[in-house]
Amino acid sequence: MSLFNKNYSKLSDEELMSLLAKGGQPAFDELYKRYAKPMLNFFFRLLNNDRERAEDMLQDLFMKIIEHPESFDRTRTFKTWFYTLAGNMVKNEYRSRNIRNEHAQLQILDSITYNTETHDKSLFQQKLNAELSNLDADSRLLFELRFTEEMSVRQIAEIMDCAEGTVKSRLFYLTKLLAKKLKIYKPELN
Amino acid sequence: MNDNQFDKIDKLLISKSFDQLSASEKEMVLQTMTKEEYMSMHQLYEQINESQPDEIEPSLNVKSKLDKVFLQHHRKERFFMLKTPLYQSAAVAVVFFLLGFGLNYFKQTPERIIYQPKEIVRYVDRPVKQIEYVKVIEKQYIQSTDNSIKKSDEETIQQRTQNEIAENNNYLNGDSIGESMENDTLLKQMLVTLN
């Protein structure tokens, strides 16, 4: 049987994408297995921990590759192309939910005051989330790709469609800004 | 700050605190930022690494919905993208053509003659003779355009006419004596009554 059954787990993302375009369900299953969780968490963090919306967006993202697999740019790696799609979806979502952002931010700040006696790490995470929610979509995306997804500058440049130098300088100023804002919560640094 | 400087400082921020930097590294760092800025950024890097947010798992509902969409989409696609060789398509087209041609050839459509009235209006400024041909029952009238009636026919007509006259005279002269019958005409009934 192994002669006829492909071992999909050994195939690259790009090969799986080709098989998916031909209607291969196992190829789709394998891609889903690889990317569903990271993409869900990517959306979850960027949408202020809104699980329901994150799942909706995850579904929409995979629908795009089911319905239009031909839109995959074969000159790029699947991962960066997929994150570009996801990043664009997040940017669109940010444009349509400016008002809701304020609400989410208030919720985060409330949780901080409520949990004042929790551990420093948790406190830092909450404050960081609050500061991140104040950022524009591009900066937020930049932070996620760099620090959570741990992507290289080259990959980020490809996803955000800008020069590597631009990514580096924006990362530097973003880190500097966040460090300055979070400094008040780290008394030892004052 | 150029690209090289960024790469170096980025590595240092991840790996070393300010106190751990060498003299040359400190010199390079201080060209770009203050000691406090470096320390706070280094702390931020450390904190971010230490405090990775909790991760969530996608619900099974999402996958089942996507599977349905996948099946529906590719079922349609398979139907439209069915690949048939050109010669097969051509053969099918020829068969259909011949079938249609044969059906038309052997099928006789019933023909019916329809007389359509044609109205012609003519304006004339002189007397016009109009000849009307009327179809009549042969027993009562005999018409002939060239008046060439056969002799035997003439005799038959004359005999028939004489018989009819004699019959009528009999009625009038009272030769026909009897009672009126149910099938008698009104004139016959009157004649019987008078007699």
Side-chain angles (χ1 to χ4, degrees), chain B residues 178-195:
Chain B
E179 290 177 1
S180 65
M181 295 176 74
E182 278 184 355
N183 294 330
D184 285 353
T185 59
L186 185 65
L187 184 64
K188 279 183 178 179
Q189 283 176 10
M190 282 173 72
L191 285 168
V192 170
T193 312
L194 282 170
N195 288 329

Side-chain angles (χ1 to χ4, degrees), chain A residues 70-137:
Chain A
E70 73 284 353
S71 62
F72 170 53
D73 181 359
R74 292 180 191 283
T75 59
R76 299 174 62 178
T77 60
F78 176 79
K79 188 179 180 180
T80 53
W81 175 76
F82 208 40
Y83 270 92
T84 307
L85 286 185
N88 289 336
M89 286 171 72
V90 169
K91 284 180 198 173
N92 289 336
E93 183 71 7
Y94 267 60
R95 279 187 209 115
S96 64
R97 57 184 282 176
N98 277 337
I99 301 163
R100 278 193 286 166
N101 249 356
E102 289 172 15
H103 177 68
Q105 197 185 331
L106 283 172
Q107 278 187 323
I108 291 165
L109 290 171
D110 283 350
S111 67
I112 290 169
T113 49
Y114 181 75
N115 295 319
T116 42
E117 291 181 9
T118 52
H119 196 267
D120 272 358
K121 282 180 188 174
S122 173
L123 189 65
F124 170 80
Q125 190 63 51
Q126 286 171 348
K127 178 58 188 165
L128 178 63
N129 287 342
E131 291 300 339
L132 290 174
S133 69
N134 284 329
L135 298 175
D136 61 286

Side-chain angles (χ1 to χ4, degrees), chain B residues 31-95:
Chain B
Q31 282 174 354
T32 319
M33 64 185 89
T34 63
K35 179 185 173 183
E36 288 74 27
E37 280 174 338
Y38 182 90
M39 285 170 75
S40 60
M41 283 173 79
H42 173 66
Q43 284 286 340
L44 178 68
Y45 271 67
E46 278 192 333
Q47 289 284 343
I48 290 168
N49 284 334
E50 283 171 14
S51 62
Q52 284 296 325
D54 294 332
E55 293 199 321
I56 56 169
E57 293 285 337
S59 63
L60 295 172
N61 194 25
V62 177
K63 181 70 169 75
S64 59
K65 278 181 189 170
L66 287 169
D67 284 343
K68 276 182 193 169
V69 173
F70 189 92
L71 282 173
Q72 281 175 353
H73 183 77
H74 286 282
R75 198 178 292 154
K76 267 190 237 166
E77 211 170 55
R78 271 178 205 145
F79 179 77
F80 287 112
M81 290 176 74
L82 202 65
K83 286 179 183 172
T84 48
L86 188 64
Y87 74 89
Q88 279 186 14
S89 310
V92 169
V94 166
V95 165

Side-chain angles (χ1 to χ4, degrees), chain A residues 20-25 28-29 32 36-37 40-41 44-45 51 55 58-59 62-63 66-67 121 124-125 128 143 146-148 150 153 165 168 171-172 175-176 178-180 182-183 186 188-189, chain B residues 1-4 6-7 9-10 13-14 32-33 36-37 39-41 43-45 47-63 65-67 69-71 73-74 77-78:
Chain A
L20 185 150
K22 290 171 190 165
Q25 171 91 38
F28 172 71
D29 292 343
Y32 186 84
K37 192 178 170 184
L40 176 67
N41 284 287
F44 182 64
R45 286 188 294 272
R51 186 189 175 111
E55 287 203 330
L58 177 73
Q59 193 174 309
F62 275 96
M63 292 267 270
I66 291 172
E67 290 175 348
K121 282 180 188 174
F124 170 80
Q125 190 63 51
L128 178 63
F143 181 88
R146 179 61 169 165
F147 295 106
T148 317
E150 296 177 346
V153 170
K168 285 174 183 177
L171 262 176
F172 180 77
T175 319
K176 200 171 173 180
L178 286 173
K180 191 179 173 184
L182 293 167
K183 194 176 164 184
K186 302 295 291 177
E188 69 274 16
L189 295 177
Chain B
M1 183 171 62
N2 59 37
D3 283 5
N4 278 340
F6 171 85
D7 291 336
I9 291 173
D10 196 48
L13 280 168
I14 293 166
T32 319
M33 64 185 89
E36 288 74 27
E37 280 174 338
M39 285 170 75
S40 60
M41 283 173 79
Q43 284 286 340
L44 178 68
Y45 271 67
Q47 289 284 343
I48 290 168
N49 284 334
E50 283 171 14
S51 62
Q52 284 296 325
D54 294 332
E55 293 199 321
I56 56 169
E57 293 285 337
S59 63
L60 295 172
N61 194 25
V62 177
K63 181 70 169 75
K65 278 181 189 170
L66 287 169
D67 284 343
V69 173
F70 189 92
L71 282 173
H73 183 77
H74 286 282
E77 211 170 55
R78 271 178 205 145

